[in-house]
Amino acid sequence: MEPSARREEAPLTPREIYERLDRYVIGQDAAKRAVAIAAHNHLKRVQARRVRRQSLIKKSNILLIGPTGSGKTHIARNLADILHVPFTTVDATEYTEAGYYGKDVEVMISDLLLKANHSVEDTQRGIIFVDEVDKIARRSQGARNGAGSRDIGGEGVQQGLLKLLEGREVYVPLNVTQAWNKSDFVQVDTRDILFICAGTFSDLHDAGDESSRPLGFGANEMARMRRRISTRQLVEFGMLAEFLGRLPVVVQLELLGEPELMRVLTEPPDSIVREFHELLAMDDLELDFDDAALREVVHYSVSRGLGARGLRSILEHVMADVMFEAPEHRKRQLRVDSDYVRARLKGLDAVQLSV
């Protein structure tokens, strides 16, 4: 009776989705609003299809464009938690055109099936986050009509994804590690699976003539409007027009500045600082971060272009000695100040940060 009761629930409104996203995702207000609207329309489409077979509501797959560390994966993961649906993250660069060595695109449905505990019904209402989608752009730019060398890891993957994005009944392998074994498969309908694709498209962000940079009052707003990436730019970058046509919601994320990154460190319920507080509290240590110390961490991340994703790597390096010695020094208060952080960050440039 519980699944049927879940189906009868009214879908969350865009404002409710936005407010829940806002608790965990700092900044990116325009992106959160667009994602909330797309998710609400998706829920209404799923609900309409449960009542009757045909519905005029089309799939609202999403394309997130933004620099690294701007929160693309974070938005998608929290959206899945809000909607209470299975969620999986896949890397577009792992897939190849069907018939070549590598993963077929149907394997990403197998990943979602695994996360849904092999429940086909739950899988068919889940979310698939396809990261690094800019890396599967057409590489054979001289052969736009398909002639010449085959682009099995770029254009071929885009072609394979078309049927999944549009919505089709496909046969997917039950065992992800043995995708080549076609004797053990299950049929999954992808019409109600929400696809969220994401990429940095860094070449498009960096494009532009330095001499034509706007100056004067309102220059920042003019620059922001000029930085909007158009569909034509994406096609020239190497994305197929029919692929982009199946991603009707295009959301462009901005680079997070120091004020937003400072909030990322401290405000969300699952923030990194709260995590360190909890870890050391289990050793009876009371941890206190100085505001100036956190500003040093944020400044280092911004100056290296690491974004929000680099904050954890930086703090892990800063707190390495503390975490090593913490279990042996119980019942104490520990304060991390800016001098300590600055000293720890001096030799960090020689360390490869995993962002």
Side-chain angles (χ1 to χ4, degrees):
M1 294 297 293
E2 206 165 319
S4 61
R6 181 183 61 193
R7 285 195 295 266
E8 294 300 323
E9 290 179 358
L12 294 172
T13 65
R15 184 176 299 277
E16 290 173 334
I17 298 174
Y18 172 85
E19 289 175 350
R20 297 189 188 187
L21 277 175
D22 198 44
R23 291 186 60 207
Y24 294 90
V25 182
I26 301 299
Q28 311 294 6
D29 290 338
K32 287 184 291 191
R33 287 173 66 91
V35 169
I37 294 171
H40 175 70
N41 292 338
H42 176 72
L43 292 176
K44 288 195 291 189
R45 180 178 186 273
V46 173
Q47 191 178 60
R49 281 174 44 80
R50 284 171 178 160
V51 176
R52 56 186 183 274
R53 288 193 172 185
Q54 297 297 326
S55 174
L56 296 177
I57 306 175
K58 300 295 188 294
K59 287 187 69 174
S60 50
N61 297 318
I62 304 171
L63 174 61
L64 300 179
I65 302 174
T68 181
S70 58
K72 300 184 293 294
T73 309
H74 196 52
I75 289 176
R77 184 178 293 109
N78 281 281
L79 178 63
D81 292 339
I82 292 168
L83 302 183
H84 302 292
V85 296
F87 173 80
T88 188
T89 301
V90 299
D91 195 327
T93 58
E94 297 179 353
Y95 297 88
T96 59
E97 187 177 347
Y100 289 86
Y101 182 79
K103 292 182 180 179
D104 294 346
V105 293
E106 289 82 6
V107 177
M108 63 179 63
I109 310 294
S110 299
D111 290 332
L112 187 63
L113 185 65
L114 183 64
K115 296 294 178 64
N117 295 321
H118 291 90
S119 169
V120 175
E121 181 184 359
D122 289 341
T123 301
Q124 293 178 159
R125 46 188 288 274
I127 295 177
I128 296 180
F129 181 78
V130 186
D131 201 5
E132 305 287 359
V133 75
D134 55 321
K135 304 300 188 297
I136 59 171
R138 182 196 291 113
R139 300 186 182 96
S140 53
Q141 297 289 340
R144 294 183 179 274
N145 60 356
S149 60
R150 297 188 63 87
D151 189 6
I152 62 173
E155 183 178 356
V157 177
Q158 291 188 61
Q159 295 281 5
L161 283 171
L162 294 180
K163 60 182 179 182
L164 302 183
L165 296 173
E166 181 72 24
R168 192 83 57 83
E169 291 185 349
V170 295
Y171 291 96
V172 301
L174 282 173
N175 191 342
V176 180
T177 61
Q178 294 183 355
W180 48 268
N181 187 0
K182 300 299 182 183
S183 62
D184 193 13
F185 55 82
V186 65
Q187 191 175 32
V188 176
D189 191 345
T190 68
R191 282 179 291 181
D192 290 336
I193 295 178
L194 181 64
F195 286 86
I196 302 179
C197 299
T200 58
F201 294 92
S202 54
D203 294 341
L204 297 182
H205 284 289
D206 298 336
D209 185 8
E210 295 290 331
S211 62
S212 63
R213 184 173 296 173
L215 302 173
F217 293 107
N220 291 336
E221 187 63 28
M222 292 172 60
R224 187 179 295 112
M225 292 176 62
R226 187 174 60 84
R227 284 199 302 266
R228 302 303 299 179
I229 296 175
S230 65
T231 303
R232 179 180 177 181
Q233 287 177 289
L234 293 173
V235 172
E236 292 176 351
F237 185 84
M239 308 306 294
L240 299 180
E242 51 268 39
F243 179 80
L244 296 174
R246 288 162 174 80
L247 297 166
V249 182
V250 180
V251 181
Q252 192 166 337
L253 286 77
E254 301 294 336
L255 186 66
L256 295 177
E258 291 192 16
E260 291 85 5
L261 291 181
M262 191 70 175
R263 295 177 58 199
V264 168
L265 276 178
T266 57
E267 288 188 14
D270 59 347
S271 69
I272 310 169
V273 170
R274 292 175 188 264
E275 182 180 339
F276 277 106
H277 275 286
E278 182 177 343
L279 284 170
L280 292 178
M282 298 176 70
D283 293 320
D284 295 326
L285 270 171
E286 185 179 342
L287 177 64
D288 182 23
F289 276 103
D290 194 10
D291 286 345
L294 295 179
R295 281 195 293 270
E296 288 286 340
V297 172
V298 167
H299 179 72
Y300 186 91
S301 179
V302 171
S303 63
R304 271 69 177 178
L306 302 177
R309 185 172 293 176
L311 293 176
R312 173 173 293 277
S313 298
I314 297 171
L315 267 183
E316 289 282 357
H317 178 82
V318 168
M319 298 294 293
D321 290 345
V322 174
M323 301 303 294
F324 183 81
E325 299 175 1
E328 301 172 4
H329 299 82
R330 295 177 179 270
K331 301 289 186 182
R332 287 181 53 187
Q333 290 186 346
L334 177 65
R335 183 175 181 82
V336 179
D337 58 16
S338 58
D339 292 335
Y340 177 79
V341 173
R342 203 176 296 116
R344 292 289 298 166
L345 291 178
K346 273 188 176 179
L348 190 54
D349 284 330
V351 181
Q352 181 68 33
L353 289 178
S354 58
V355 297

